Amino acid sequence: DIQMTQSPSILSASVGDRVTITCRASQDISHWVAWYQKKPGKAPKLLIYTASYLEDGVSSRFSGTGSGTEFTLTISDLQPDDFATYYCQQYNRYWEGIFTFGPGTKVDVK
Amino acid sequence: EVQLVESGGGLVQPGRSLRLSCAASGFNFDDYGMHWVRQTPGKGLEWVSGINWNSETVHYAESVKGRFIISKDNAKKSLYLQMNSLSPEDTALYYCAKDRTFDSSGPFDSWGQGTQVTVSS
């Protein structure tokens, strides 16, 4: 099975900061990674797909890079609405029905 | 606007069954794959099951294989999850999610608000 890890697990930041979250896969997954934002009591929101493509309607302050086993989500000019938990997800082997989420990174107020 | 509304959750005893429903609107339900994803405080997000646009392809997580059945009724614009032989480990908030593609290959671009399932005696 493909395992996904994220670092850090908690990231303390201030409004205006640039923050970076790293996601690592246990094997090569090409560019088949998505990033989601999750707030308490709200549905997850797709931010980035195929490692670097910005979902429609998502702020350009969010960006994604990476391929193979290492991926990053960067939030520039952190806004109050960005404090949330962020999850990466791999969908490299969808034909086998394997979709794995990372454990999440909580971005909170420093 | 895409809307996904889950229902059917509740408190159920171990070993019993429950059927979740997800009513979809705001998009052509026929054309997209759909999924169920659950969240527990300890385990984060866990994909449970997926189905392609015409129900020809279904997949399950190992943790639910043989116990859960996903189905899709395009005429009713609804997604279902029949959950049998429930155990306390199935306790979670269950989300219905729309795939970005027709073949349930991911990722998931719209989600419902979730329905809580609690398995306890």
Side-chain angles (χ1 to χ4, degrees):
Chain A
D1 283 5
I2 301 173
Q3 307 299 321
M4 304 295 284
T5 59
Q6 287 182 236
S7 60
S9 54
I10 301 174
L11 195 162
S12 297
S14 302
V15 171
D17 284 353
R18 177 186 175 94
V19 301
T20 297
I21 300 168
T22 299
C23 176
R24 289 185 174 87
S26 59
Q27 59 185 267
D28 190 333
I29 56 172
S30 185
H31 49 271
W32 301 114
V33 160
W35 290 93
Y36 299 87
Q37 178 191 66
K38 178 72 173 72
K39 296 179 181 179
K42 296 289 187 77
K45 177 184 177 182
L46 177 65
L47 302 173
I48 300 283
Y49 63 96
T50 322
S52 61
Y53 288 80
L54 193 67
E55 175 68 352
D56 290 346
V58 174
S59 171
S60 58
R61 296 181 297 99
F62 292 89
S63 62
T65 63
S67 65
T69 60
E70 188 160 323
F71 304 86
T72 61
L73 172 71
T74 298
I75 312 171
S76 60
D77 189 22
L78 195 71
Q79 295 299 298
D81 192 48
D82 300 336
F83 292 102
T85 300
Y86 294 86
Y87 294 90
C88 62
Q89 177 203 33
Q90 70 83 17
Y91 52 106
N92 178 59
R93 291 165 62 185
Y94 71 91
W95 62 88
E96 297 179 10
I98 298 175
F99 301 91
T100 316
F101 290 91
T105 294
K106 184 177 182 180
V107 177
D108 66 10
V109 179
K110 181 186 282 186
Chain B
E1 180 193 2
V2 173
Q3 279 204 316
L4 299 169
V5 180
E6 302 94 337
S7 60
L11 174 63
V12 61
Q13 292 180 326
R16 303 298 291 265
S17 299
L18 208 57
R19 190 194 195 207
L20 305 184
S21 300
C22 171
S25 61
F27 66 103
N28 194 347
F29 188 72
D30 300 29
D31 289 344
Y32 292 92
M34 298 291 295
H35 302 268
W36 289 99
V37 178
R38 65 188 182 185
Q39 182 177 30
T40 59
K43 285 190 173 184
L45 294 171
E46 178 188 16
W47 172 81
V48 173
S49 182
I51 188 168
N52 77 331
W53 68 283
N54 64 358
S55 305
E56 283 191 353
T57 304
V58 297
H59 292 292
Y60 300 95
E62 284 298 321
S63 58
V64 307
K65 199 172 286 186
R67 299 187 299 122
F68 289 11
I69 301 171
I70 190 171
S71 59
K72 186 176 187 276
D73 188 331
N74 286 341
K76 294 184 177 179
K77 298 186 187 304
S78 292
L79 178 72
Y80 305 99
L81 186 67
Q82 177 67 41
M83 304 187 297
N84 302 320
S85 302
L86 285 162
S87 73
E89 289 68 42
D90 297 314
T91 294
L93 183 63
Y94 284 74
Y95 291 101
C96 163
K98 170 185 168 290
D99 199 283
R100 219 173 176 278
T101 73
F102 69 96
D103 65 355
S104 63
S105 61
F108 312 156
D109 62 1
S110 295
W111 300 59
Q113 293 296 317
T115 186
Q116 179 67 39
V117 172
T118 303
V119 184
S120 174
S121 53

